[in-house]
Amino acid sequence: MGAEEKAHHAVCPGKKHNLEEIREKLASEDGPRYWRSLEELAGDPAFQEQVKREFPRGASEWLEGFSRRGFLQLMGASLALAGLTSCTKQPLEPIVPYVKQPEEMVPGRPLFFATAMEMGGHARPLLVESHMGRPTKVEGNPDHPASLGGSDIFSQASVLELYDPDRSPAVAYQGEIRSYAAFLGAMQSQLAAQRLAQGAGLRFLTRTVVSPTLGDQLKTALQVFPKAKWHQYEAANRDNARAGAMMAFGEPLETQYRLAEADVILSLDADFLYPTFPGAVRYARDWASRRRPESSRAMSRLYVAETTYTATGGKADHRLPLRQMELEQFARAVAQGVGVNAAGATAKGMAGTWLPALVKDLQQHKGNCVVIPGEYQPPVMHALAHAMNAALGNVGRTVFYTEAVAANPVDQNQSVSELVEDMKAGQVQVLVILGGNPVYDTPAELGFGLIMKEKVPLRVHHGLYQDETAQFCQWHINAAHYLEAWGDTRAYDGTATIVQPLIAPLYNGKTDTEVLAIFTGQGETKAYDIVRAYWQRQLQKQAPATPAARGKGKAAPPPAVDFEGFWRPAVHDGFISGTAFQPRQAQLKSIDFGPGPQGSPPALEINFRPDPSVFDGRFSNNAWLQELPKPVNKLTWDNGLLVGVETARQMGLKVNDVVELKIGNRTQQAAVWVQAGQPANVVTGFLGYGRRFAGRTGTGFGFDLYRIRTMKEPWSTAVEMRKTGDTYLLASTQGQQSMDTQLGTRDLVISATASEYGKDPGIILRHHETPAKDETLYYNYEYKSYAWGMSIDLSACVGCNACILACQSENNIAVVGKDQVNKGRHMHWIRVDTYYEGDRDNPKAYFQPVPCMQCENAPCEYVCPVGATVHSSEGLNDMVYNRCVGTRYCSNNCPYKVRRFNFMLWQDWNTPQFKMMRNPEVSVRSRGVMEKCTYCVQRITQARIDSEREDRKVREADLLTACQQACPADAIVFGDLNNAENRVSKLKSTARNYGLLADLNTRPRTTYLAAINNPNPELPAPAEQN
Amino acid sequence: MAQIFHRSTNTISRFTIFGTLVVTAVGLWAALQLERSPYTTFAGVARPQPVPFSHAHHVGGLGIDCRYCHTSVEVSSFAGIPPTKTCMNCHSQIWTNAPMLEPVRQSFQTGRSLVWSRVNDLPDFVYFDHSIHINKGVGCDTCHGPVDRMPLMYNYASLQMEWCLDCHRRPEKYLRPRDQVFNMRYQQPKEFQPVEFNGKKYTDQDALGRELVKAYHLRTVEDITSCNTCHR
Amino acid sequence: MEQKDRVEEISVRHGRPPVMAPGYTFATITDKISSIVLTRPVSLGWLMGVGFASLWAFILLFAVSYLFYQGVGIWGVNIPIGWGFAIVSFVWWVGIGHAGTLISAILLLLRQSWRNSINRFAEAMTLFAVACAGMFPILHLGRPWLAYWLFPYPNTMNVWPQFRSPLVWDVFAVSTYFTVSALFWYQGLIPDLATLRDRAVNRYARTIYGFLAMGWRGSARHWKRYHTAYLLLAGLATPLVLSVHTVVSFDFTIAVVPGWHSTIFPPFFVAGAIYSGFAMVLILAIPIRHFYGLEDFVTIRHLENSGMIMLATGLIVAYGYIMEPFMAWLGGNKYDLYQFWDRAHGPYWWVFLSLITMNVVIPQLLWIPKMRRKPGWLFLISLDVLIGMWIERFVIVVISLHRDFLTSSWGMYYPTRWDWFTLLGTVGFFFMCMLLFLRVLPMISIFELRELLPEAEVKVES
């Protein structure tokens, strides 16, 4: 029926292969290649669909993993109702002890190690849980200023990346496996040649280098090879921020914000609460700390003017959707308002209404406000922001400038363009690509791949995957994952962090430092020694060598200071205390902001943004991130092209329509997602999809927009759009994104303005009449020992999804694949519902994380025929998988629909890597079993047992649920309701506390704190603006 | 006309009618017995091991304490299987070339682990924690039986859910003073053989049990029979 | 008995056809019916019928095998719609079963002599329908091989079923129902089996029928005990007619789901069951009497009575349809209100519309006596009702689930080919059993038909 046809469409989005394309590709191929067919070569979606269907299993309903014999056998036996094995006989299992047991290790108890994950030019400090030497769970490092315990989706998902079976398993030459020694041998001759030429033909291409050691190594390499060049490129680079800083200060300064001090925040297209933004994890914490009416300090106010709907935009008290040109004009207007001399200011329509109120608000909070420019805004916008912050006296109070976090900040677009020029000119003999995937993520106009292939004799690629770039290089060195590697890096605030491995490299991959060692004359050195050596040097630089110290006579060179004394705590804490950059006195130059945007805006413009889940494409093969519903629109597995409601109507576009985008002479298809709150005549396309060599999970989803992206206008440019008439199924996890039904609105997310709430706190509960305790026919449980409960603050929640992935990782939650998501069978135990309020052209968004409510009057419990979901003495709705027969009655009867069912065998039982990845404390659910949030009962049990051994009660600090621990905004609080001193009890006693659907008398243990907004009284309220 | 059936058919038919009932009844009963029998539970069945390690000799004979090998039993869910190193502590001095111990020496030299076969094996969906049982006064032999008299290790109990529940529903039936937990020869209090606890002598288990439940702050039966105690 | 006679006379005088065409004797009745089984050659039509039906039965086997191989994921079920075709069809089949028991038991107790000529195959119908129904609750489980956990039995886990769950009640209700119906049907057969035994020429046939007849000799003693037992069973079966579907309706009423949580369900379900049951009786009776030339035994009178019962129960069902939204409105519960708004205006409006048309509008034709007496029309109307009742269960199960409390969690249900195979497969299986039954057993109760003859009066009296 309907669905099947739709699904069928999904299978073939009707892209004919283009012979030209294939020929071109073939021309560019040589030697043994990985491609399996012309279709794959041409990146044919139909083929990619097949590839996708290989994994995750159960993605298709017909003949998945289907053996005809097995089936026929079963068919015979089927009337006998498949194996009536009441005798559950335990198989004979081996048990394998250590030969020599590590001292600190207690079998059966996890250990935690501090490390850090680098991404997009800064590090995320982490604390990683290890079970018997297997890293299984990533948390934020609570001691680190950049995390304070919070974490984000990318670091949470990195565990899956580590164990990804598609990771490159070996060094390869022309696609054939070689030893690392072989590679070293091959390089020797090359290097000899280069030495003579002083490295004239040698080029390094890296991503943004943050690691002090790596930076230092590269500098050394450039000393060894004076004529060699080091280029940096990342698709989602920070060129604009850098250029902006250059405009304003003449040097590439880093900007930091202290949002805890900010009363008024103006975001100019900055998604600063979402983890793709440097420091977002910390910013979310600081920002949320000012959004709680209970706190002593007044609530802050957030204005967001943006060109596409972001999570931050959803949290705004006032959100202003503008197209790029209008945004800049508006920024200039605001700048003028606060006394910055910038021409070209205009603010029409809504912006006009905003301007006076906003300016006034900023003026009134001089020194306590902040203007944050978007990462993807042109340099002048950054410059304007710097000027405004200066004019408003924010510098040194809410805004700080430090030296750059990157080891050597350069204009990356320019840098890579130069490289391409050199390659064209045939000046490049040896190209060493350390990390990164330029063949895929450089704009197609550069033609990086083909040029490199034709002009560069020796191409070396170092990376986690045999990706598009690896296909174009002779040598591929499989990289070590950061959880396998020694290294160092810096957080957004400059704090230096030691990266320590949690496990020996699974495929003995090499770190970038190790590869680079070849060029610095360090030969085949271990990353550990390289990093130690570097910091030893640093230490000596700091402390002048004293002859007294020589006595110690440790390993040569004799350390001038007690190195171990420095190293051990650094490794243990996960960061080197006191290395955070000190604020700089930044002298604002007199800036020429230029005349501002002239003429009229293009008929239609496109914004390019890195994808919220797979970023620039580097996480494409990470099934957790792929299946993670993207903030606001809840899309999974694809990059939908966001089109505004009005624009869609004018162009006659519906969701799933395939359009053709044309920039210059390049075209690319994309599937439409109609997005409320998207500015008119602006479409937003997300980068990082349409991968062709990502691996089984990532290959073939979505559309590759790098093909039409340009170097000149990488983030926003004019575009022509044409409806093709084809359709392409986009899978979203949420049915309806509004609380309105045709018969009135439902009070699912309750919100109020700060002033309303201040006047009358009772306003929240007025929405709900909760039945009295005795209004039930069922037994009222008493909870003598503990009564676990959770409180979720809808004011604080920034919709960053960290909780979802934390839960997925902690509880061994399976991935089901796009088809199944589309059928409504995704497995996330906690989801973040997004609801729009008000006008479709600029609605206010609310984020509502929904885990199991652990009802005291649970509708699920009394309908289960086998007692597989039962009430625990502490008020949990225990879910006993091994007792479940799978009637799905509990799910039908769950008003919150938080139960998830294994309709087929989702779990991958065979891949050994996944066995290592799973949390041994949680059952792995198999086919036909219901599952749901358990409040991380494994953690509860552990904490309880530990406390009982010490004959005391569980302390609040001992027990965090995975979602709570990950939440950067501290929006989720969990604890024992029988203890009035606990934070959770206090929160639940506030007037903001309400139970979702409490009128059903389910008595949810998970309750919400109503969302309080702080709109400017001088502006129309978010709901009825426009 | 001729009879189709012989007279005997009457008796036969009567017999079959009741016969079927009996057969089904017996069949079901047999199934239940089978489910509880060592055939399914392995109770009392010794497993093949790389080295015929004798608890009888080491514990009963030499009187080595359980914790010498099972080091983490008091602090972790997992009691711990001794690393080869532990064996070699002694066997680098004594029985240094007993052929029986060849695999141990092998393992120690090559660094390759000994592969024992699990004896007390719970299903993977059951989460048992040794430390808490030890700390609440459940003796080793309460579950593991007379290990000090086992030349080859076998599991003593059926390890079936009903067996677990038997204690979780009435813990006082089995508890003993903490200091007796590792005593393999401990006897429950009897008239002629009292057990001392907190300076008081107890002559019957119920009294002692109730006292221990109080003293060790055992969680209520309701608590320890909640599903999440063992399943998650 | 005279009085019964008079009723008969009056009704015939008032232009209503007789229960049985005149001019039959014990012998002729017996000949006519037993010949169908014993002497009549296998007709091509029958063969084709069985062939087609068993083809679908085989498809069912195939679908079920694949189901066990892959899991319920091959169906359209999802979150929020956890129950789909399986439960819809389960309720539907159980409902169909009811007519049989009603006819054989209740009408017996009410001394409705006309039931004598249709109760036999109606009971067979019940049996096969319940057999079909019984499959679904097992098939729809995530782990069907553990279905026996719903039975309370002493186990090593020391746990029992959860007796607050209606699904456990179902297990008992349905299994009891099946057992009683089977016994009732079989006991009814015994005297006729004996007849067949005595008349069979083929040796094997004689042995088999003889074995099944359990040595019935038709002595007065036999008859006396027989009648007592028969009445007792009828007494047992009667409450079941009401209880079974009441319990089935609890599956829904017990839940909090808007559109399920309704006190009207039990009577409403029972009425619906009988409604669809009689539809099925007619769908069977009309072709049978036509092809086997039994117009004299299954007369227009039977068809008309069935038609009237359908009309009556249909009206009760219609009343239910009106009451549900009314109650929602009266109660003012916003979720219930939306549920009924959604049925008529939501994405499934066309399903709801066809439901009303098929179950409420069209059956009103039965007010017209002509319609009730024209087998062709009656057949069509019954077909319509049968499908209508299936749709009703679809509306209740699927539409109620697809939009409940949280707007974020609303969903749609799209049946897959496997849903259809399973549903149609059971239909095939049902007709296969039915056709086989027609061939090997007397489809009309010979001895009960005899009782209708004036000659029988005295006998029964004693």
Side-chain angles (χ1 to χ4, degrees), chain A residues 897-933:
Chain A
K897 291 290 172 280
V898 292
R899 290 178 157 268
R900 300 283 172 252
F901 188 68
N902 292 271
F903 286 92
M904 292 195 252
L905 182 60
W906 304 141
Q907 290 286 6
D908 180 338
W909 288 95
N910 310 327
T911 314
Q913 289 93 327
F914 293 150
K915 291 177 184 167
M916 296 173 71
M917 178 183 72
R918 297 198 177 102
N919 180 355
E921 298 303 315
V922 179
S923 310
V924 180
R925 284 82 56 193
S926 189
R927 175 189 133 190
V929 172
M930 188 65 70
E931 59 184 72
K932 70 162 185 73
C933 160

Side-chain angles (χ1 to χ4, degrees), chain A residues 63 746 825 833 863 888-889, chain C residues 66 75 82 165 251 404-405:
Chain A
L63 298 186
R746 297 182 178 180
R825 294 171 178 177
D833 286 344
V863 296
R888 303 184 295 290
Y889 201 170
Chain C
Y66 189 58
W75 289 347
S165 167
D251 292 351
D404 62 354
F405 299 95

Side-chain angles (χ1 to χ4, degrees), chain C residues 206-415:
Chain C
R206 267 173 49 212
T207 329
I208 295 166
Y209 286 125
F211 180 77
L212 295 173
M214 296 176 116
W216 173 267
R217 294 192 308 280
S219 69
R221 202 146 115 274
H222 279 187
W223 277 113
K224 188 168 180 307
R225 290 183 178 167
Y226 179 88
H227 278 293
T228 334
Y230 203 56
L231 279 177
L232 282 175
L233 270 176
L236 265 177
T238 308
L240 285 178
V241 178
L242 303 178
S243 70
V244 177
H245 230 49
T246 305
V247 172
V248 170
S249 78
F250 288 163
D251 292 351
F252 305 101
T253 54
I254 296 296
V256 299
V257 180
W260 285 11
H261 190 71
S262 153
T263 47
I264 200 173
F265 269 30
F268 171 50
F269 265 52
V270 173
I274 296 164
Y275 193 28
S276 55
F278 268 88
M280 185 55 103
V281 169
L282 284 173
I283 283 176
L284 296 171
I286 292 170
I288 288 173
R289 69 194 285 272
H290 175 72
F291 289 119
Y292 290 95
L294 297 173
E295 286 86 352
D296 295 348
F297 299 156
V298 182
T299 63
I300 295 298
R301 169 73 160 283
H302 296 101
L303 307 189
E304 182 167 21
N305 288 352
S306 314
M308 287 194 275
I309 295 183
M310 272 170 66
L311 183 56
T313 47
L315 288 173
I316 303 179
V317 170
Y319 172 80
Y321 294 162
I322 299 162
M323 273 306 129
E324 278 187 296
F326 173 72
M327 285 302 172
W329 172 79
L330 199 62
N333 176 313
K334 53 179 179 269
Y335 307 113
D336 289 352
L337 277 170
Y338 181 78
Q339 173 55 222
F340 292 103
W341 184 91
D342 176 60
R343 285 185 185 180
H345 304 81
Y348 287 110
W349 64 270
W350 55 278
V351 180
F352 185 71
L353 189 63
S354 41
L355 166 67
I356 298 300
T357 330
M358 298 175 95
N359 268 7
V360 181
V361 180
I362 296 178
Q364 299 313 315
L365 291 170
L366 291 168
W367 285 105
I368 311 162
K370 266 204 176 51
M371 286 293 180
R372 297 203 298 264
R373 298 182 188 181
K374 284 217 173 58
W377 278 107
L378 216 44
F379 185 82
L380 290 179
I381 294 174
S382 314
L383 205 59
D384 158 86
V385 168
L386 211 53
I387 298 168
M389 283 311 291
W390 190 89
I391 294 177
E392 177 196 300
R393 276 61 178 257
F394 181 88
V395 169
I396 292 173
V397 173
V398 172
I399 302 190
S400 305
L401 283 173
H402 96 117
R403 289 186 174 178
D404 62 354
F405 299 95
L406 294 191
T407 51
S408 67
S409 307
W410 287 1
M412 287 294 286
Y413 173 81
Y414 301 103

Side-chain angles (χ1 to χ4, degrees), chain A residues 222-235:
Chain A
L222 294 183
Q223 285 154 14
V224 181
F225 302 95
K227 293 216 176 93
K229 282 195 200 142
W230 165 25
H231 300 278
Q232 298 182 56
Y233 176 76
E234 274 190 53

Side-chain angles (χ1 to χ4, degrees), chain A residues 74-398:
Chain A
L74 183 60
M75 189 143 165
S78 66
L79 285 193
L81 245 185
L84 276 169
T85 53
S86 71
C87 296
T88 49
K89 211 173 150 115
Q90 283 287 316
L92 200 58
E93 288 182 319
I95 182 165
V96 183
Y98 283 92
V99 173
K100 300 187 184 62
Q101 186 168 315
E103 295 99 2
E104 77 282 3
M105 152 109 55
V106 176
R109 293 191 75 91
L111 296 168
F112 292 83
F113 300 96
T115 182
M117 173 190 182
E118 196 174 295
M119 173 184 150
H122 64 283
R124 293 131 202 274
L126 306 173
L127 201 60
V128 181
E129 179 176 7
S130 159
H131 282 277
M132 308 296 276
R134 298 172 294 110
T136 56
K137 179 78 172 68
V138 167
E139 307 289 1
N141 183 345
D143 307 330
H144 196 295
S147 161
L148 303 180
S151 58
D152 67 319
I153 56 174
F154 302 110
S155 41
Q156 288 291 346
S158 63
V159 183
L160 181 58
E161 190 180 48
L162 167 68
Y163 293 110
D164 185 345
D166 294 352
R167 261 178 63 194
S168 166
V171 176
Y173 179 73
Q174 303 282 29
E176 286 159 6
I177 292 183
R178 291 278 194 281
S179 71
Y180 188 63
F183 167 70
L184 292 175
M187 291 310 285
Q188 284 320 318
S189 54
Q190 295 289 339
L191 289 181
Q194 288 302 328
R195 266 197 207 81
L196 296 178
Q198 294 190 308
L202 179 61
R203 295 289 185 278
F204 301 103
L205 176 57
T206 66
R207 281 181 176 151
T208 316
V209 171
V210 182
S211 157
T213 306
L214 185 60
D216 176 71
Q217 267 185 310
L218 279 155
K219 290 199 184 70
T220 335
L222 294 183
Q223 285 154 14
V224 181
F225 302 95
K227 293 216 176 93
K229 282 195 200 142
W230 165 25
H231 300 278
Q232 298 182 56
Y233 176 76
E234 274 190 53
N237 57 45
R238 307 195 59 208
D239 285 358
N240 289 346
R242 180 182 168 284
M246 295 299 272
M247 267 178 88
F249 311 110
E251 51 182 331
L253 292 181
E254 205 79 41
T255 316
Q256 283 181 39
Y257 308 99
R258 207 150 289 173
L259 299 183
E261 305 305 319
D263 298 334
V264 177
I265 303 168
L266 169 60
S267 152
L268 298 170
D269 204 39
D271 193 4
F272 64 89
L273 295 175
Y274 196 74
T276 47
F277 192 93
V281 171
R282 174 61 188 269
Y283 291 157
R285 176 71 54 100
D286 291 351
W287 176 81
S289 71
R290 297 292 307 275
R291 298 294 295 184
R292 297 188 171 88
E294 293 80 13
S295 84
S296 52
R297 310 183 61 182
M299 273 180 78
S300 66
R301 178 170 297 140
L302 173 59
Y303 298 87
V304 175
E306 60 182 3
T307 57
T308 186
Y309 213 132
T310 65
T312 309
K315 299 307 292 180
D317 297 303
H318 295 285
R319 178 178 176 272
L320 182 58
L322 294 172
R323 35 192 319 186
Q324 185 55 43
M325 183 175 172
E326 298 164 347
L327 183 67
E328 183 172 339
Q329 290 167 333
F330 174 72
R332 288 167 176 273
V334 180
Q336 277 185 352
V338 300
V340 175
N341 170 21
T346 19
K348 290 186 248 56
M350 190 58 206
T353 333
W354 265 47
L355 195 56
L358 171 60
V359 169
K360 187 162 158 231
D361 210 357
L362 289 169
Q363 298 282 20
Q364 282 171 348
H365 294 88
K366 274 185 184 290
N368 293 77
C369 57
V370 56
V371 181
I372 308 179
E375 286 287 287
Y376 313 118
Q377 285 301 314
V380 63
M381 290 289 279
H382 291 262
L384 280 165
H386 295 312
M388 282 191 258
N389 283 325
L392 288 163
N394 297 334
V395 181
R397 304 189 55 167
T398 58

